[in-house]
Amino acid sequence: MFRTALRNVFAHKARLLMTAFAVMLGVTFITGSLVYGDSLNQATTAQATDGYERIAVNVAAEADPANGGRPGNLDAHTATALAKLPGVAAAAGRVDGFAAVADRDGKPLGNGKDAQGGNFAPAADGKDPAYRFTEGSGPTGKDTIALDEATAAKGGYRVGDTVRVGTNKGASSYTLSGIFRTDGTKLPAGGSLTLFAGATAQKFFLEPGRYQNIELTATPGADVTQLLSRVESVLPKGTSAVTGARLAQIKANLATSGTSTMSQILVGFAAVALFVATFLISNTFTMLVARRTRELALMRAVGATREQVRRILLTESLLVGAIASVAGLAVGTGVAALLQTLFADTPAAPLVLTPTTVIISMLVGTLLPMVAAWLPIRRAMAIPPVAALSAAEHTAPARPGSLRSGLSAALVLTGTAAVVYGALTTGKDARTVIGLGAAIALTGTIGLIPLLSRPVVALFRPLLTRLAPVHGDLAVRNTVRDPRRTGATAAALAIALTLASGLSVLGASATQYLDRATTHALGADYVVKSAGGQRMTPATATPLKKLAGATYSPLNQSTGYRLGGSESVLTGVDPATIGKLLRYDVVEGSLDNLAKGQIAVADFKAEQAGWHVGQTLPLERQNDQRGSLTIGAIYQADEQSDLMPSITAPDSLVARYDSTPSTAGILVATDGGPGRAALAGVTHALGDNPTLSVLDQADIRAQDSRGIGDQLNVFYALVSMALVIAALGIANTLAMSVLERRKELGTLRALGLDRAGVTRMIRLEALLLGALGATLGTVMGVFLGWALGRTLQANVAGYELVLPWGRLALTILIALAGSLLASLWPARRAAHVDIPAATAAQ
């Protein structure tokens, strides 16, 4: 049986090529996902733990509430005492914090939130073991710094250059004394690291004479466990110690916690691609078995049992899957390497191909064709040999009253009802209900597509017959000739279009919401924010007083209030200018009441607390301050907005209760409006400080929507794999159809239909298949996008459904173009049919 199966595989290799390619693509996807995920985890772990082997014990200072939450109790005296312990070779005190490096245009270099600063702590030999200098030396004076190699290269800096660096204490210019390399303990991926002299770093990041942690290096042969015990016995209060190995393990767990999410997303889309490939494989084996009905019947007539024939066919599918899996395993490893190149901000490392990945990929690739081929084989084995010998092909047309159709209709109704219920209730588990309902409805729709093919294709018939009367009519008739085959082919495309359309609807709706939430209320030309998310104070805005023609107001947030019994955050603004900088849609009262010492409240906050204009509310603060505030206005606001406060108060009122509010941003408007000169003026007035970002409205819009856009691009790229497999299904279906219709095609050619006409007919068939799948997929995708969007509306005020007609149309055009491209080879084969041989075939 194995020899027979192997001979049949080679005998039908051209027909099985598309099936093997589909399996290979699916295995490629899942192999690439697993290899990339394993490689990313290993690389992230290696980077996060790099360098901890040189640290025997790390002593850290705990936060001191009495000192503003800053770490304390570690000083030079402690470091000296620890260095004298038996087994300690050296003790290096460390401090670190936020430090942004400016490029030659004054803009921050690298990722702002990962812009780090630290201290150079030389040992007795004048070297710091944490850093390996490639040029120059470590900083020794208050006016010198050193930069990591990558940051220096990005900025084009060499030793001796002047570099502007900003910290939370301000910005200054320094002389670059050296360029270094370091390990993962100091430099995060994609970040920058600036080294200052010890006293300078302490002044910027902590306080003079204090350290955040002390790294202990052990002498050769020292027992780390015993050393840890000695260290713990002499530690001052408010400090803790941990071994370098344990610290490395903690860092590795933190570093890899986020990488699993990307791996899961990739594997999820790989599963979708494999699901789509199942339709292609099943369709191919359905056509192959139908073509070989007489051959299989003859085998049974000469003595082969039904079970033996079934084993031969299943072995054929197993061989195809095994060969394709090996190819997919190799190509998938290359795809993982390509992903590493595309995601350049992730740490680079050798590819990791584990035995688990090989086993999973091979099992999936070999079992999938067998599962997909089981039903066609079962149908073929149900045909008696005598009946099979007397017919060329047996098809089971879809009937409205069949059990399959009834069950599919029930699934569609049940799934649709679940989706609608989840969308309308928007409860805690609404998205889970929608997800399950969508899966049920999609499964039912796949079963109903053979029935839906006739009415949907009929919608396009008038257009086709008008454009090409003869060829269009023939294409329509051929498309609906075998509804099940047509449905299985279109189902793969429908699944891909469902995902693409749903993502488009959600993405467009979320983008519009973010655009409204971020810039709709903004009347200022610029918003000044911290480049690294560090704390700004009202004093940050003080230099803007010197900027001619500028109107500004800081947003000074103050927390810890109970206002009228409700937890509240007050945002202090300049009452004289805020009306020009933020667009308050006042629904009750007047914003002018801010100048009278009253507050303005967002409508959602007032509704939640039951407040109204003119109401006086008792105020309590965590430091036992008491007072009362009067509501002077209520305005419309989005609860998720980063700019529009929930409670707006005059800055003088906030200063009465809080001497150190945190400034969330600074709104600035200039006389001439936004422009290059205005931007340079604001930046220069703020001291050319790279820790501050001056953003115009376009920058804010791009910054807030970048995350959604990046994620959608990744998802679209993944969905494209399913589209490719669906296009292969169309090509395979048309190719097999051409083989089955050789006599018919030869007759048409003999009756006068030229090669161009045959080519046009096959291409129109492909377009009909693509239109069927695209129509059903787009409708289902929009429906699911609406349902999922409804679950957001309860928690996200202002979220509205947006139908991106342009993007939906583009997706449909891509699907049709892919269908047309898939028809090129089958159309060419059909056009070159040998007329005498085809008409003489039985």
Side-chain angles (χ1 to χ4, degrees):
M1 285 187 295
F2 180 80
R3 288 196 301 269
T4 302
L6 186 62
R7 184 179 64 250
N8 288 336
V9 168
F10 284 106
H12 303 96
K13 55 182 179 295
R15 302 178 188 180
L16 290 170
L17 181 62
M18 290 295 183
T19 298
F21 194 50
V23 175
M24 187 195 76
L25 284 178
V27 174
T28 294
F29 209 157
I30 198 166
T31 300
S33 302
L34 294 174
V35 170
Y36 176 73
D38 292 339
S39 303
L40 182 60
N41 278 336
Q42 178 171 296
T44 303
T45 300
Q47 185 181 59
T49 58
D50 180 29
Y52 282 99
E53 68 279 355
R54 63 178 170 76
I55 302 174
V57 176
N58 184 76
V59 179
E62 300 173 357
D64 183 5
N67 193 27
R70 291 180 295 178
N73 293 338
L74 282 182
D75 53 20
H77 175 74
T78 307
T80 302
L82 292 172
K84 293 179 180 179
L85 291 175
V88 175
R94 302 290 184 189
V95 291
D96 59 72
F98 176 70
V101 182
D103 61 16
R104 297 188 183 276
D105 295 327
K107 297 180 180 179
L109 277 172
N111 189 349
K113 66 183 179 63
D114 290 326
Q116 300 290 316
N119 65 306
F120 179 66
D125 59 358
K127 296 181 180 180
D128 189 331
Y131 309 105
R132 302 176 296 280
F133 279 83
T134 58
E135 294 182 44
S137 59
T140 55
K142 64 179 182 179
D143 296 325
T144 59
I145 60 164
L147 291 177
D148 69 274
E149 197 171 41
T151 302
K154 287 179 184 177
Y157 291 123
R158 304 296 300 271
V159 172
D161 287 350
T162 298
V163 183
R164 193 159 183 82
V165 180
T167 68
N168 290 332
K169 299 293 180 65
S172 299
S173 297
Y174 302 86
T175 300
L176 184 62
S177 67
I179 298 173
F180 60 87
R181 295 176 182 173
T182 188
D183 49 50
T185 64
K186 305 300 178 188
L187 182 61
S192 62
L193 179 58
T194 305
L195 289 184
F196 299 89
T200 305
Q202 288 175 327
K203 180 182 69 173
F204 286 157
F205 305 133
L206 196 56
E207 58 185 60
R210 296 284 184 178
Y211 298 112
Q212 290 164 324
N213 62 290
I214 299 175
E215 297 173 353
L216 303 181
T217 306
T219 57
D223 186 284
V224 175
T225 304
Q226 293 180 358
L227 179 58
L228 177 63
S229 299
R230 296 191 196 104
V231 170
E232 290 177 333
S233 65
V234 299
L235 284 183
K237 183 181 178 180
T239 59
S240 61
V242 65
T243 63
R246 174 58 182 160
L247 193 58
Q249 184 180 3
I250 295 172
K251 295 291 185 180
N253 293 336
L254 291 173
T256 57
S257 60
T259 59
S260 59
T261 302
M262 175 60 75
S263 300
Q264 291 170 2
I265 291 174
L266 291 173
V267 172
F269 276 92
V272 172
L274 288 170
F275 184 58
V276 173
T278 303
F279 289 93
L280 191 159
I281 298 165
S282 179
N283 215 18
T284 301
F285 272 94
T286 298
M287 292 182 287
L288 279 176
V289 171
R291 287 283 298 172
R292 297 166 58 190
T293 301
R294 289 184 175 182
E295 173 191 335
L296 300 176
L298 182 61
M299 292 176 64
R300 292 180 59 193
V302 298
T305 66
R306 180 178 298 178
E307 185 62 28
Q308 286 176 321
V309 176
R310 181 183 291 111
R311 288 178 184 175
I312 290 173
L313 294 175
L314 288 176
T315 303
E316 289 180 24
S317 64
L318 177 66
L319 289 171
V320 171
I323 295 171
S325 297
V326 172
L329 195 63
V331 177
T333 305
V335 168
L338 179 62
L339 287 174
Q340 282 189 334
T341 303
L342 293 176
F343 296 103
D345 56 340
T346 58
L351 294 177
V352 178
L353 182 61
T354 64
T356 302
T357 298
V358 175
I359 292 172
I360 291 175
S361 300
M362 292 299 297
L363 281 178
V364 169
T366 53
L367 293 180
L368 180 64
M370 295 181 66
V371 172
W374 180 81
L375 187 59
I377 293 172
R378 180 175 175 273
R379 289 175 183 163
M381 292 301 97
I383 302 174
V386 175
L389 285 170
S390 62
E393 182 179 351
H394 293 267
T395 60
R399 297 186 302 273
S402 67
L403 177 62
R404 168 177 171 166
S405 300
L407 180 60
S408 298
L411 290 175
V412 170
L413 292 175
T414 303
T416 302
V419 171
V420 173
Y421 173 79
L424 296 180
T425 57
T426 61
K428 178 181 178 182
D429 299 322
R431 293 176 193 172
T432 303
V433 173
I434 291 174
L436 292 175
I440 294 172
L442 188 60
T443 303
T445 303
I446 291 170
L448 280 181
I449 287 181
L451 285 177
L452 296 173
S453 61
R454 290 184 180 275
V456 174
V457 169
L459 293 175
F460 299 102
R461 181 169 188 164
L463 176 63
L464 292 181
T465 53
R466 178 173 296 182
L467 295 176
V470 175
H471 313 102
D473 185 65
L474 288 173
V476 170
R477 293 174 182 273
N478 291 331
T479 302
V480 298
R481 177 184 296 181
D482 188 343
R484 284 189 175 174
R485 179 189 302 175
T486 298
T489 304
L493 189 61
I495 294 171
L497 265 294
T498 298
L499 292 173
S501 302
L503 288 172
S504 296
V505 171
L506 286 174
S509 301
T511 300
Q512 176 174 289
Y513 158 73
L514 286 175
D515 186 30
R516 289 179 177 176
T518 54
T519 60
H520 172 70
L522 183 61
D525 298 327
Y526 301 103
V527 177
V528 181
K529 291 188 175 183
S530 172
Q534 304 300 307
R535 186 176 184 271
M536 293 192 299
T537 66
T540 308
T542 303
L544 291 172
K545 291 181 179 179
K546 301 177 182 179
L547 183 60
T551 302
Y552 71 94
S553 174
L555 301 175
N556 299 323
Q557 287 187 345
S558 182
T559 60
Y561 296 90
R562 285 190 65 83
L563 188 60
S566 174
E567 297 290 340
S568 302
V569 176
L570 301 186
T571 301
V573 300
D574 182 355
T577 62
I578 193 61
K580 302 176 183 178
L581 302 172
L582 282 181
R583 298 188 182 97
Y584 284 83
D585 296 327
V586 178
V587 295
E588 190 177 356
S590 172
L591 200 64
D592 294 338
N593 290 326
L594 288 176
K596 301 176 183 179
Q598 297 179 357
I599 62 173
V601 181
D603 53 355
F604 67 84
K605 181 70 174 178
E607 183 178 350
Q608 292 169 1
W611 297 341
H612 58 82
V613 169
Q615 183 176 358
T616 299
L617 306 173
L619 179 147
E620 301 176 11
R621 199 152 187 261
Q622 293 173 349
N623 56 3
D624 295 329
Q625 288 178 308
R626 298 287 189 273
S628 62
L629 299 178
T630 301
I631 299 177
I634 294 177
Y635 53 88
Q636 292 181 349
D638 193 321
E639 192 170 355
Q640 307 298 320
S641 175
D642 291 334
L643 289 176
M644 187 62 72
S646 59
I647 299 179
T648 305
D651 47 13
S652 58
L653 188 149
V654 169
R656 184 190 311 166
Y657 295 100
D658 189 354
S659 59
T660 59
S662 178
T663 301
I666 305 170
L667 306 175
V668 185
T670 56
D671 283 347
R676 181 171 297 182
L679 176 62
V682 174
T683 303
H684 183 68
L686 292 170
D688 294 316
N689 191 338
T691 66
L692 301 177
S693 294
V694 183
L695 309 173
D696 60 18
Q697 293 195 16
D699 294 331
I700 296 172
R701 189 180 297 112
Q703 188 180 71
D704 290 336
S705 61
R706 184 180 298 121
I708 290 180
D710 292 344
Q711 291 179 8
L712 285 177
N713 289 336
V714 172
F715 293 158
Y716 284 137
L718 297 174
V719 170
S720 65
M721 181 67 74
L723 284 171
V724 171
I725 296 177
L728 288 175
I730 292 175
N732 209 23
T733 297
L734 292 175
M736 296 298 293
S737 177
V738 167
L739 287 174
E740 294 173 359
R741 293 155 50 196
R742 289 181 68 251
K743 185 173 182 178
E744 173 190 326
L745 292 171
T747 302
L748 289 173
R749 290 292 314 283
L751 292 174
L753 189 65
D754 58 8
R755 288 181 175 179
V758 173
T759 300
R760 189 177 301 113
M761 179 184 68
I762 298 299
R763 289 177 179 174
L764 290 176
E765 290 180 34
L767 286 175
L768 280 172
L769 287 171
L772 174 61
T775 301
L776 296 176
T778 301
V779 171
M780 290 188 292
V782 171
F783 175 60
L784 292 179
W786 164 81
L788 290 173
R790 284 277 307 178
T791 65
L792 297 175
Q793 288 179 337
N795 300 319
V796 182
Y799 179 93
E800 296 178 356
L801 177 69
V802 175
L803 294 180
W805 298 109
R807 193 175 299 174
L808 292 174
L810 178 62
T811 304
I812 294 174
L813 287 176
I814 291 174
L816 294 178
S819 303
L820 191 61
L821 187 64
S823 70
L824 295 181
W825 179 57
R828 185 177 183 278
R829 293 194 65 180
H832 289 79
V833 166
D834 188 329
I835 298 176
T839 53
Q842 298 296 321

